[in-house]
Amino acid sequence: QAQLVESGGGSVQSGGSLRLSCTASKDITNYYLIGWFRQPPGKQREGVAALYTAIGATHYADSVRGRFNISQDNANTLYLQMTDLIPEDTGVYYCAADSRSYGGAWYSERPYNYWGQGTQVTVSS
């Protein structure tokens, strides 16, 4: 059974909005850290936003701060609200979670031991 399942991707024009959802198989508070990554075409996967569940602290990549918002609306769903989208936001978006608290920067893949299958976001100019 998949631990994390993303949904909500799609194609939009510049300036548009999308909301991604990540449905977890258990209460998100069981994870130490949960977040969103993306992989633009031809590039490496990068951290976009993350939530430390115990303290409610959120972190964002500089490229999305002020435009994206990470939130938890119920026990097992994480959201990424994306506004003012630009073509550079295009990529496959992944939800990831850390259940072990092994440490590492939130924007690094290292802490995360669960990954979703990804959802495609395409922003056209």
Side-chain angles (χ1 to χ4, degrees), residues 39-85:
Q39 187 165 20
K43 297 184 179 180
Q44 290 188 327
R45 194 154 53 183
E46 60 186 13
V48 175
L51 168 69
Y52 287 91
T53 62
I55 59 175
T58 57
H59 296 270
Y60 296 93
D62 289 344
S63 60
V64 306
R65 187 175 292 111
R67 299 188 298 119
F68 290 12
N69 185 66
I70 187 171
S71 65
Q72 175 188 354
D73 194 32
N74 58 46
N76 67 339
T77 304
L78 183 75
Y79 298 100
L80 184 68
Q81 178 67 49
M82 306 186 294
T83 60
D84 297 322
L85 285 161

Side-chain angles (χ1 to χ4, degrees), residues 31-33 52 97-105 109-113:
Y31 302 112
Y32 171 72
L33 171 66
Y52 287 91
D98 169 17
S99 66
R100 305 164 299 180
S101 187
Y102 278 4
E109 294 187 22
R110 181 176 178 271
Y112 302 89
N113 57 325

